[in-house]
Amino acid sequence: MAATADTVSLKLVIDRKSQRVLFAEADKEFVDFLFSIFTLPVGTVTRLLKEDGSGGMVGCLPSLYRSIENLSSDYIQPSIDKRFLLRPKIIMPGAKPPLLLPDVGSTFRQLYGCSCGGSDGIDGNDGSGSTRVADDYRTICPKCDYKMDGSVTLVDPLGEVEVSFWGEEGYVKGTVTYMVMDDLKVKPMSTASVVTLFTRFNVNFNEIGAIEEKMVEFGMDDGVKLLRASLQSKTVLTDVFLSGSKK
Ligand SMILES: [Zn+2]
């Protein structure tokens, strides 16, 4: 089953008796999505859960969010746009936009520069020594009018690694199949861990049909559901894919 750009395929292994997902077999794309949850600003998480119409997020963050929305710009610093707080950008080497969440497209993983403003005095250097960078290579530099499409290297604060923005996207290697548990523990798939899991959940191999394998397409709606469930539940895959049939 081929995944489209907006979905990824997952193989669920379901214990039919207890109607719960024992684990999912997943490729890099799904694991990258799960890992990318940690790059999401709290403001983004609050907005996504607020907008998905299933009752918002627990706790006080939604009312804090609304306070910022409702506060007149008269009270906000002139150089600050409220979007910085309500729709923050994620600046993360290797980060790709979490495609399985709606409208988080402001995420970026590459910075671009032009050659003005540096110490080399090219084109319109205003002598301030400040260097301009942009997160979109189509940006035109307001100072020198050239496209800001030069690559910029981010140096790790420890000075040990120059972080490259190029290479395979995402976080984990693509040659491996991963095992994602119902509580979102993630590890490389192995026969030993499958057997251990079946034993732990008392799965009876002799019983025909005790285990069901099911291919599912995981899309954006599921992305938001999973994000919500991951904050509230220990049986996230069951909640997302089998909800209604249990609890
Ligand atoms: Zn410039």
Side-chain angles (χ1 to χ4, degrees):
M1 192 180 297
T4 67
D6 306 334
T7 64
V8 299
S9 300
L10 276 183
K11 184 159 106 189
L12 302 179
V13 177
I14 299 165
D15 178 6
R16 291 181 83 162
K17 200 178 254 170
S18 64
Q19 274 300 304
R20 68 182 280 179
V21 177
L22 295 174
F23 64 91
E25 266 182 61
D27 292 335
K28 164 187 170 56
E29 283 69 29
F30 185 66
V31 176
D32 278 344
F33 164 72
L34 290 178
F35 286 7
S36 75
I37 288 175
F38 289 110
T39 69
L40 295 174
V42 174
T44 304
V45 174
T46 308
R47 177 174 58 81
L48 287 171
L49 297 189
K50 182 173 152 298
E51 285 174 355
D52 90 329
S54 22
M57 198 178 176
V58 293
C60 301
L61 292 175
S63 64
L64 183 58
Y65 189 97
R66 270 194 303 279
S67 304
I68 299 171
E69 276 184 315
N70 295 336
L71 188 65
S72 156
S73 47
D74 295 347
Y75 300 98
I76 305 284
Q77 295 279 2
S79 61
I80 295 295
D81 188 315
K82 285 202 273 184
R83 282 177 310 170
F84 295 169
L85 298 167
L86 300 176
R87 293 177 175 265
K89 285 194 175 189
I90 308 161
I91 308 175
M92 256 291 282
K96 63 175 175 179
L99 290 174
L100 297 169
L101 290 172
D103 196 19
V104 192
S106 55
T107 316
F108 62 86
R109 59 189 189 94
Q110 170 65 302
L111 292 173
Y112 302 91
C114 67
S115 44
C116 81
S119 55
D120 48 7
I122 315 173
D123 298 327
N125 182 353
D126 61 2
S128 69
S130 90
T131 302
R132 292 170 188 83
V133 291
D135 58 5
D136 185 329
Y137 63 89
R138 293 161 300 190
T139 308
I140 303 293
C141 173
K143 212 73 195 175
C144 69
D145 270 352
Y146 279 98
K147 248 194 203 166
M148 303 183 68
D149 55 3
S151 77
V152 167
T153 303
L154 181 69
V155 180
D156 184 88
L158 298 171
E160 289 161 0
V161 220
E162 290 201 345
V163 182
S164 166
F165 291 100
W166 308 112
E168 198 178 11
E169 283 195 324
Y171 304 106
V172 296
K173 294 196 173 163
T175 45
V176 185
T177 299
Y178 296 89
M179 190 172 173
V180 180
M181 310 298 163
D182 206 11
D183 66 355
L184 298 188
K185 272 194 206 85
V186 176
K187 52 185 167 183
M189 183 94 187
S190 75
T191 315
S193 46
V194 174
V195 171
T196 310
L197 198 74
F198 282 1
T199 312
R200 176 147 47 97
F201 286 99
N202 286 320
V203 174
N204 184 357
F205 289 103
N206 298 322
E207 203 177 307
I208 293 165
I211 292 293
E212 180 190 351
E213 289 189 351
K214 187 177 169 190
M215 290 300 296
V216 290
E217 289 295 312
F218 183 91
M220 275 197 198
D221 290 351
D222 303 315
V224 178
K225 265 196 223 168
L226 185 144
L227 182 61
R228 173 186 301 283
S230 68
L231 294 166
Q232 299 171 346
S233 161
K234 295 270 192 195
T235 55
V236 170
L237 299 179
T238 301
D239 293 357
V240 171
F241 295 106
L242 302 181
S243 64
S245 50
K246 200 202 161 193
K247 63 184 275 202

